[in-house]
Amino acid sequence: MQNIVSPSILSADFANLERDIKLVENAGAQWLHIDVMDGHFVPNITIGVPVVASIRKITELCLDVHLMIENPEKYIEPFAKAGADILTFHYEAAKDVEELIKLIKSYNVKAGMSIKPKTPADVVMPYLNDLDLILVMTVEPGFGGQKFMYDCAEKIPFIKQNAPENLIIQVDGGINAETAGICTKFGANSLVAGNYIYKSDDITSAVKSLL
Ligand code: DX5
Ligand code: ZN
């Protein structure tokens, strides 16, 4: 089965966002990864609801929104209404994981949960049947262009063994053709990549090398 490639626009040119989205869309990427950071959960500030709403108008790609924010429950409705197809919150930021999953699904949006590098894989166990996606971070969240942490990828086989067949296992951070291969062997089937795609001289080939 083909991998789901989700280029991270964090590494795109924000002054030419439509052009950069069309490039990955035409190259065969199925999703678009949108990193939302609040300057509290992570030490960086990126983009918010209005940008997601504008992107929704110019692409049919599945909008894969990664919420690196505190109090995620406050922002589910606005991001859902802006057109997100997947909302992935962080386990470390969630007060009540079950309620948050229910809230996301109540808007007909797919629910994802992410774990940071130091969070053990077994915390996901109680939620595997309710979630649509688990995101295993392979860098500390906050910035693009960091080095892949192999130890984090080693959490994937445990999750894969315990997960229902249709659960999507995504990796994010330091993904390139080589590290993607490690992750897919372990059982990941959705690959986020920022720098590897957008800082490449040949964006089309970079996307295709991950498919
Ligand atoms: C990091 C973000 C990533 C980032 C990945 O906190 O969640 O999505 O854009 O960038 P690369 O692929 O360059 O590591
Ligand atoms: Zn991300």
Side-chain angles (χ1 to χ4, degrees):
M1 214 182 68
Q2 230 190 7
N3 300 315
I4 301 166
V5 177
S6 195
S8 168
I9 58 164
L10 190 58
S11 303
D13 177 358
F14 283 159
N16 288 288
L17 208 43
E18 181 169 10
R19 179 201 68 190
D20 278 4
I21 291 169
K22 291 296 162 191
L23 276 171
V24 296
E25 191 169 351
N26 293 334
Q30 307 94 327
W31 292 5
L32 193 70
H33 189 80
I34 304 177
D35 287 303
V36 176
M37 305 189 192
D38 66 353
H40 292 277
F41 182 72
V42 288
N44 193 8
I45 298 176
T46 54
I47 57 183
V49 173
V51 178
V52 174
S54 293
I55 293 174
R56 180 72 293 165
K57 292 187 198 142
I58 59 109
T59 184
E60 296 291 314
L61 287 173
C62 168
L63 300 187
D64 164 30
V65 178
H66 179 189
L67 299 174
M68 284 160 276
I69 59 175
E70 284 177 3
N71 305 312
E73 68 286 349
K74 285 191 190 168
Y75 300 95
I76 301 305
E77 179 173 357
F79 278 109
K81 290 192 170 158
D85 295 295
I86 304 170
L87 284 170
T88 299
F89 61 87
H90 265 268
Y91 169 79
E92 302 82 1
K95 293 179 195 87
D96 186 332
V97 171
E98 269 170 42
E99 281 303 310
L100 204 45
I101 295 172
K102 266 192 220 148
L103 181 64
I104 295 171
K105 289 188 167 177
S106 75
Y107 293 100
N108 244 332
V109 171
K110 287 196 174 19
M113 183 170 82
S114 181
I115 53 170
K116 295 200 324 181
K118 291 193 188 80
T119 302
D122 57 10
V123 303
V124 306
M125 284 295 282
Y127 315 110
L128 289 178
N129 289 309
D130 298 325
L131 287 163
D132 297 294
L133 177 149
I134 293 276
L135 167 52
V136 176
M137 288 305 297
T138 43
V139 297
E140 282 296 341
F143 299 91
Q146 301 182 78
K147 198 172 174 297
F148 177 78
M149 297 162 80
Y150 185 87
D151 292 4
C152 297
E154 286 179 325
K155 296 176 194 173
I156 300 167
F158 170 81
I159 296 170
K160 180 73 187 161
Q161 277 157 27
N162 290 290
E165 191 60 33
N166 57 353
L167 183 86
I168 295 164
I169 302 179
Q170 185 176 62
V171 284
D172 181 8
I175 298 298
N176 55 38
E178 189 194 335
T179 56
I182 296 169
C183 294
T184 53
K185 268 202 198 102
F186 278 150
N189 59 346
S190 171
L191 305 166
V192 175
N195 267 30
Y196 175 65
I197 290 175
Y198 279 116
K199 304 296 180 208
S200 155
D201 293 335
D202 184 348
I203 289 179
T204 304
S205 302
V207 170
K208 288 188 192 304
S209 73
L210 298 177
L211 282 166

